Amino acid sequence: MLSVVIPVLNESQCIRRTLDRLSAQDAVDEIVVVDNGSTDGTRDILGAYALTNPKVTVVDEPVRGVARARNTGFDRARGEFIARTDADTIVDSDWAEVIRRHFTAHPETAALTGITTYFDSPVGFFLEFGYRLQARRGRLGGRVGNMHGPNMAIRATAWKQVRDATATRPDIVDDLDLALCLTKAGLAIEQLTTMRARTSARRRRTSPAKWWRFQQSGLRTITNQGYTVLPYHRLIIVGAWATHTAQWPIYRFWDFERRRFTLHPGRERLYPLTSSDRAPSAGEP
């Protein structure tokens, strides 16, 4: 049995599309949507959707935070395999089948992550080109040390093994934290080039200053799990920040809904949830 968990916060504009793609896949047995305190009508949409689709279950996690919502969903999931994606992500039509098939054929694999590109970016072809270049050089696929939240899966047995070691602090990166917990437990994570999804690039509108703080949270995640931050870790975050900063002027004037440039693109979408997105009373250990 395969369960799919989707943490959700104020995603009324895109959640139906994501649910439509997942519920149409025969390999998906259950979809657990965790509402993390939406105030834009998302909860009403989810309730109505669940009434007409028996695969969908809606649960609430009042304490804000991606890790909190993820944990609630993973704990509630009934499947032998638990996949995770985001509300603004469109998985490929065979996504669930790829996950089930690989887990079944490779019992030694504890978790999976795939290839994620953008569906609404004016410069998304650069990311796709980068993946093609890496594939040509044989650098995609196989054992890895990290996972990407919108495109990942884990065995229920592996989740139970590492669950208590995961952090729910607001200043860590949830998918990296989970990957480090799996690695410490000696559990294998594999990247599949056939496990594909397309997500929104809207977080690319985050200002360089805020993006730098997010990158710093990656180093904090590493040390929180007892690992030593090495020079190449710092080099990676500097490179990620520089790449983001180079693209930011483009996304600053890009309308993700209409797919066109505009002088009034709307509010930026922070990545991930930051303190400004959280309820003031939501304390997380």
Side-chain angles (χ1 to χ4, degrees), residues 116-137:
T116 310
T117 54
Y118 295 132
F119 65 80
D120 58 0
S121 168
V123 291
F125 58 87
F126 284 119
L127 179 61
E128 295 174 10
F129 174 77
Y131 277 132
R132 287 197 297 270
L133 193 60
Q134 290 182 65
R136 193 174 303 165
R137 295 177 176 178

Side-chain angles (χ1 to χ4, degrees), residues 76-269:
R76 182 66 177 267
R78 295 178 291 123
E80 176 187 3
F81 313 131
I82 307 172
R84 191 206 135 180
T85 190
D86 284 345
D88 62 352
T89 300
I90 305 172
V91 301
D92 273 13
S93 58
D94 64 346
W95 183 74
E97 179 58 35
V98 167
I99 293 170
R100 291 183 68 147
R101 186 167 58 241
H102 194 86
F103 271 143
T104 301
H106 300 273
E108 75 283 358
T109 301
L112 297 171
T113 192
I115 304 299
T116 310
T117 54
Y118 295 132
F119 65 80
D120 58 0
S121 168
V123 291
F125 58 87
F126 284 119
L127 179 61
E128 295 174 10
F129 174 77
Y131 277 132
R132 287 197 297 270
L133 193 60
Q134 290 182 65
R136 193 174 303 165
R137 295 177 176 178
R139 295 182 179 178
L140 288 183
R143 291 283 291 268
V144 293
N146 198 2
M147 295 185 290
H148 189 213
N151 190 5
M152 58 160 283
I154 186 172
R155 290 184 187 272
T157 52
W159 169 243
K160 292 175 182 177
Q161 186 173 340
V162 303
R163 194 246 188 250
D164 291 342
T166 61
T168 57
R169 290 167 44 181
D171 60 344
I172 58 93
V173 182
D174 63 291
D175 42 11
L176 174 59
D177 177 75
L178 177 56
L180 293 176
C181 290
L182 290 167
T183 300
K184 286 171 65 176
L187 300 174
I189 306 169
E190 283 194 63
Q191 182 187 61
L192 300 184
T193 58
T194 54
M195 180 180 168
R196 292 183 172 268
R198 292 175 296 143
T199 194
S200 175
R202 57 188 177 160
R203 295 164 184 84
R204 289 293 176 181
R205 195 183 292 157
T206 305
S207 71
K210 291 176 181 176
W211 192 264
W212 177 251
R213 288 197 292 271
F214 168 64
Q215 294 298 327
Q216 290 292 314
S217 68
L219 300 182
R220 195 176 300 111
T221 302
I222 293 171
T223 57
N224 185 62
Q225 285 296 340
Y227 289 89
T228 300
V229 172
L230 301 174
Y232 86 89
H233 292 137
R234 299 185 185 279
L235 195 60
I236 288 173
I237 71 163
V238 170
W241 176 83
T243 300
H244 175 85
T245 301
Q247 298 178 36
W248 178 68
I250 299 173
Y251 287 108
R252 190 179 180 189
F253 299 104
W254 178 251
D255 187 320
F256 290 96
E257 292 300 319
R258 297 179 176 85
R259 313 284 176 86
R260 68 184 187 187
F261 289 100
T262 175
L263 294 177
H264 305 285
R267 182 180 181 272
E268 65 181 305
R269 177 70 177 191

Side-chain angles (χ1 to χ4, degrees), residues 11-25:
E11 299 286 8
S12 61
Q13 294 184 349
C14 57
I15 187 60
R16 286 191 187 92
R17 177 186 58 205
T18 299
L19 292 175
D20 286 346
R21 175 57 63 93
L22 289 169
S23 60
Q25 299 191 26

